[in-house]
Amino acid sequence: MIIKAEPVSISVPTPISGRCPACRQLGTFEPLLTPQYGSNDLTYTSTNPPSIVGHRRCPNSSCRTHLFVVIQNNQLITSYPALRIDFDATNIPAAVVEAFEEAITCHADDCFVAAAIMVRKTLEELCRDRQAHGKDLKDRIRNLGSRIVLPQELLAGLDDLRLLGNDAAHIESREYDKVGKEEVEIGIEFTKEVLKATYQYSTLLSRLRSLKKNP
């Protein structure tokens, strides 16, 4: 987003809440203040709606990551670096994590088509890790159902994720009207649940059972 306008006033800081792109903690980002003016936020009324630009920092005392933010109608439009969707990579293979982290990075930078393609690649890496075979991803996903234990709803949704990635990469035979922010965010959240069920639930169960008293 590029704003080509002169600021006309100094603004009262607007609170920004989210997950820090560096330390991944949730919090309300603090405005950076100056001795002369207090707030660093500037209002640009020549944009429609008016835009506020300013600086924030992570409230985590061990992080303090600096963000440049753009706000409209009291809503965060964008930040640099971008706020990211949280993802716990515990016990997930490196190749799967790498593909999925790239999907999250693309989403954070509003590159939604690229994010959908990387969600599809995450499925490819999941099938490779679980040795699910087939002539194409559709067949490999079908074979994956016999190699991992997932709720039926998650298994059925895997093919929808494949189609979302197809629509992002190809023009013909589109299944979705568009591949945008909402479609990608749902795809990422769905993929997180698949990865949790595949790689993390068994570890969580083992930890729970380890707390039982010995007979």
Side-chain angles (χ1 to χ4, degrees):
M1 180 176 182
I2 300 175
I3 299 175
K4 296 182 179 179
E6 291 298 323
V8 297
S9 64
I10 296 173
S11 308
V12 176
T14 300
I16 296 297
S17 298
R19 191 175 299 278
C20 177
C23 70
R24 307 293 181 88
Q25 299 298 308
L26 284 170
T28 300
F29 290 81
E30 305 167 346
L32 295 181
L33 306 178
T34 62
Q36 182 178 5
Y37 298 109
S39 173
N40 273 309
D41 287 0
L42 297 175
T43 299
Y44 293 78
T45 57
S46 55
T47 62
N48 185 25
S51 300
I52 296 174
V53 299
H55 303 267
R56 299 291 186 275
R57 69 178 177 181
C58 175
N60 183 352
S61 59
S62 62
C63 179
R64 295 303 197 193
T65 291
H66 174 217
L67 299 181
F68 178 78
V69 300
V70 179
I71 302 164
Q72 290 179 337
N73 293 330
N74 293 321
Q75 297 294 320
L76 179 67
I77 300 302
T78 190
S79 70
Y80 305 94
L83 302 183
R84 293 166 57 89
I85 292 175
D86 185 41
F87 169 53
D88 178 10
T90 303
N91 296 328
I92 300 177
V96 179
V97 171
E98 183 178 354
F100 195 50
E101 286 280 12
E102 189 165 339
I104 292 173
T105 298
C106 290
H107 167 269
D109 290 328
D110 293 343
C111 299
F112 302 124
V113 170
I117 292 173
M118 293 311 300
V119 166
R120 189 183 193 280
K121 183 177 180 182
T122 302
L123 297 184
E124 293 272 13
E125 294 295 348
L126 171 60
C127 291
R128 186 198 309 273
D129 176 67
R130 290 297 162 142
Q131 299 181 346
H133 303 296
K135 62 182 178 64
D136 53 26
L137 182 57
K138 183 175 183 178
D139 281 349
R140 290 192 288 275
I141 287 174
R142 187 180 296 114
N143 183 245
L144 183 67
S146 64
R147 296 179 177 274
I148 61 177
V149 178
L150 289 178
Q152 188 57 45
E153 292 81 2
L154 291 184
L155 279 173
L158 287 176
D159 199 57
D160 291 290
L161 289 181
R162 176 188 67 84
L163 293 173
L164 182 65
N166 281 356
D167 281 8
H170 304 291
I171 297 176
E172 67 277 2
S173 302
R174 296 183 65 85
E175 298 287 338
Y176 292 85
D177 291 333
K178 64 176 182 176
V179 178
K181 180 180 175 65
E182 182 178 11
E183 290 79 8
V184 169
E185 286 182 352
I186 293 174
I188 287 175
E189 289 302 323
F190 194 93
T191 304
K192 284 170 59 175
E193 294 305 313
V194 171
L195 296 181
K196 284 180 187 178
T198 304
Y199 296 108
Q200 296 173 334
Y201 285 170
S202 59
T203 300
L204 189 61
L205 177 60
S206 297
R207 290 175 58 192
L208 178 62
R209 287 177 172 172
S210 71
L211 299 177
K212 289 183 178 180
K213 293 181 179 180
N214 292 325

